[in-house]
Each structure stands twice: as C-alpha cells, then as structure tokens.
C-alpha cells in the first residue's frame, strides 16, 4: 500500500490505494466520471452505506477492499477436489468445477452481504469476479469431444442453479440471477455463451423441506436428491430445444460446498440428454464437517 501526503499538514499521511483504472484521456469522459462520482456521493448522502467488509463510510466496497477482492479472484482455479460429492473413491472427478476464488476474508464478507443481508448493489463487483472465471473456461475446463457431441456444436448454454423457494421468500431475490444480469448489463458474458434457465425445483411436501445449512455431507446429498426438473414451459426470451441431445451446457452456482447440488443438477440434465461440460462457481468453501457450518447456505 502506498501512502502520500494529501492534506498539506506536516507529517500527516493519508492512505492512497492505486487504482486499476487508467486516467481518462478525453475531457468529456473525465467529466462523465466526475458526474458519476458526484451522483454516488449524493446517493450516499440520502442513503448512507458502509463498506460491507471494513465498515468504511460512504462506500459500498471501499477502494482497499475492492483491491483485496480483485487479488482474491485474480486466478480462478479448479475446485472439484474441495467437494467430496464431485470426486470418486480414487479421486477421479465426476464434474470439473472452476471457482473464481476461495470463500474467505474479503470475498466471503462480500458474498455474505450480497446473499444474506440484502446488499444487492454488490452484484456488480461480484459479477466481475465471476466474469474472470468464465473467461478461463475454455482453458481450464478443456475436455475431449464426446461421441454424442455434434461436430459443429452450437453455443454453450450457461444453466444457473435455481434458487429454492425458501431462499427466494427470505431474500426477495435470486442471487445467481442478479449476477447474470450484472454480466449482461456490463457486456462481460463471453461470446458463444447463452444463458439458459432451464432448471427448476420440484415442489416438496412441507415436512420434507430441510435447509442445506446445518446439514452434514451425507444429509445434504439426501436432501437434494431428485429435487430438480427440466422446465418445459417456454420463456419469454428462451426456447428449449425439442431434442437436447448433444447440447453442451455449463452449470453456474454461487458457492460450492459439498457439491451435492451441482451433482444433482448435472444428473438431471444428463438424464434429459444434455452434455454437461462442467460448472463455474463464484467461490469454493470448505465442506462442512458434522455439526459445523462455514458457508452462507
């Protein structure tokens, strides 16, 4: 961290964090950015907000914590080995998973604020973290072409994991859907990738509903078994193929823990004829031990 004297007072040092954004060259762009900062200052005046990580005033995510978030997600990595439901007895992966970062420190606090404390404005910085992982998919999730895959495969479908009914009622929004909206709004969705919300949740009897949070590994697998379905109803912006055989899909979720949800989603899609190439998650958390919960499900 660099420091420089910006107050004029002798011996007074004010922290200065280097910006990843270069200085705008054209006057109109500098004026636009100035107006954008002034509008943000006005919003913080009428709707005060603190940094979700360090509590600094007038910042959704202060410059220091934004830099920490970028460092934590600078190098996406293969994460299936952290989820026991996604690897076999001999360590062979059932489903390759690419994670933007580890669920800890500033990244964990940001995700927690976004998912559990209504800080939906964090979808933009978290969406950029997710975009870095999606950009690494062709390299990190490279696989041999399957015999069922046509020679000229169509666009890769990005299939979000559906939010549970209880999660939607508790939050009032779907975190994964907000991340995707942020990607589309900022033009960060990779070319050749199409968002395909084709997975839905089956209705369960009230006495069979159990929240994943607080369950052990085996209990999580039992809890999500046979809970998803393919949505056949045509959406406003998306039409499901009549014959999905050979269509390559990529799953998308926010936090990876035991991998039970991703494996159930992959099983549902493969049963319908889709070719599941892997999954991308925002963060990989440590799988919970018995009676220990360490992630925001």
């Amino acid at each position: 961290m660099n420091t420089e004297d910006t107050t004029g007072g002798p011996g007074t040092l004010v922290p200065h964090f280097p910006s990843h954004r270069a200085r705008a060259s054209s006057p109109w762009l500098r004026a636009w950015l100035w107006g954008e900062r002034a509008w943000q200052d006005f919003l913080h005046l009428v709707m005060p907000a603190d940094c979700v990580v360090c509590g600094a005033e007038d910042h959704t995510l202060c410059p220091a914590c934004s830099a920490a978030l970028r460092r934590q997600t600078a190098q996406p990595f293969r994460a299936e080995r952290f989820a026991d439901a996604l690897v076999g007895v001999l360590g062979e992966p059932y489903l390759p998973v690419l994670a933007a970062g580890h669920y800890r420190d500033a990244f964990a606090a940001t995700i927690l604020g976004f998912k559990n404390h209504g800080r939906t404005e964090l979808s933009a910085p978290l969406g950029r973290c997710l975009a870095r992982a999606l950009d690494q998919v062709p390299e990190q999730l490279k696989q041999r072409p399957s015999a069922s895959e046509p020679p000229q495969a169509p666009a890769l479908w990005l299939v979000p994991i559906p939010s549970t009914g209880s999660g939607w009622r508790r939050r009032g929004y779907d975190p994964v859907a907000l991340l995707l909206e942020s990607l589309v709004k900022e033009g960060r969705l990779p070319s050749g990738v199409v968002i395909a919300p084709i997975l839905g949740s089956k209705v369960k009897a009230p006495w069979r509903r159990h929240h994943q949070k607080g369950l052990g590994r085996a209990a999580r697998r039992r809890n999500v078994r046979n809970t998803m379905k393919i949505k056949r109803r045509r959406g406003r912006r998306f039409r499901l193929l009549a014959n999905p055989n050979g269509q390559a899909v990529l799953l998308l979720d926010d936090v990876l823990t035991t991998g039970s949800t991703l494996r159930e989603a992959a099983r549902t899609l493969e049963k319908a004829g889709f070719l599941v190439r892997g999954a991308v998650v925002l963060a990989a958390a440590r799988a919970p031990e018995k009676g220990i919960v360490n992630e925001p499900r």
Side-chain angles (χ1 to χ4, degrees):
M1 179 174 65
N2 299 329
T3 58
E4 63 179 8
D5 189 349
T6 60
T7 63
T12 304
L13 295 178
V14 175
H16 172 72
F17 298 95
S19 174
H20 66 290
R21 180 183 295 174
R23 177 180 170 80
S25 57
S26 59
W28 71 266
L29 184 55
R30 286 200 296 272
W32 177 277
L33 293 176
W34 180 87
E36 189 179 61
R37 287 194 296 271
W39 174 249
Q40 289 175 352
D41 289 342
F42 173 74
L43 289 180
H44 286 142
L45 181 65
V46 297
M47 294 183 290
D50 297 336
C51 174
V52 73
V53 179
C54 68
E57 294 181 350
D58 297 341
H59 288 287
T60 298
L61 202 58
C62 73
C65 295
S66 295
L69 200 65
R70 290 196 296 273
R71 285 195 298 272
Q72 278 190 256
T73 57
Q75 295 181 338
F77 60 93
R78 290 282 293 268
E80 64 271 13
R81 66 182 186 278
F82 299 107
D84 62 342
L86 299 180
V87 293
V89 178
L90 301 178
E92 72 278 14
Y94 293 138
L95 183 73
V97 180
L98 187 63
H102 290 280
Y103 183 77
R104 64 189 181 199
D105 304 332
F107 199 26
T110 307
I111 294 174
L112 197 63
F114 173 59
K115 289 191 64 176
N116 290 3
H117 300 296
R119 301 291 296 269
T120 54
E121 70 274 22
L122 294 169
S123 63
L126 290 176
R128 293 170 202 136
C129 301
L130 183 62
R132 284 192 279 276
L134 286 172
D135 289 339
Q136 294 290 316
V137 165
E139 179 181 347
Q140 298 272 0
L141 298 186
K142 191 180 297 181
Q143 293 182 344
R144 294 178 180 177
S146 170
S148 60
E149 190 174 4
Q152 293 182 346
L156 181 66
W157 286 10
L158 187 62
V159 180
I161 299 297
S163 177
T164 62
S166 59
W168 176 271
R169 289 190 293 273
R170 186 174 69 255
R171 302 187 186 104
Y173 57 90
D174 183 348
V176 177
L178 287 185
L179 290 174
L180 288 173
E181 286 181 8
S182 174
L183 285 177
V184 173
K185 184 178 179 181
E186 297 191 356
R188 297 178 184 274
L189 195 66
S191 61
V193 175
V194 176
I195 298 174
I198 57 175
L199 274 179
S201 299
K202 292 182 178 178
V203 177
K204 295 178 68 175
W207 56 89
R208 293 184 181 275
R209 297 172 189 166
H210 304 286
H211 200 285
Q212 289 286 79
K213 187 174 181 178
L215 298 180
R217 299 176 181 181
R220 283 183 176 226
R221 284 197 291 270
R222 289 194 299 271
N223 194 41
V224 300
R225 190 171 299 157
N226 198 27
T227 57
M228 297 185 192
K229 63 180 181 180
I230 305 295
K231 293 195 291 187
R232 299 293 178 184
R233 191 172 58 181
R234 189 179 65 184
R236 288 183 301 173
R237 301 179 181 177
F238 187 81
R239 182 191 294 270
L240 183 63
L241 293 177
N243 181 12
N245 286 335
Q247 171 61 54
V249 300
L250 188 68
L251 293 168
L252 174 67
D253 204 358
D254 46 16
V255 179
L256 172 69
T257 49
T258 64
S260 301
T261 303
L262 285 179
R263 188 168 179 184
E264 174 64 19
R267 188 193 66 81
T268 303
L269 290 166
E270 288 172 346
K271 190 176 178 181
F274 291 95
L275 178 62
V276 182
R277 302 296 299 269
V280 175
V281 298
L282 191 58
R286 204 176 120 198
E289 302 293 340
K290 187 176 182 180
I292 300 177
V293 178
N294 57 356
E295 39 70 53
R297 285 283 180 186

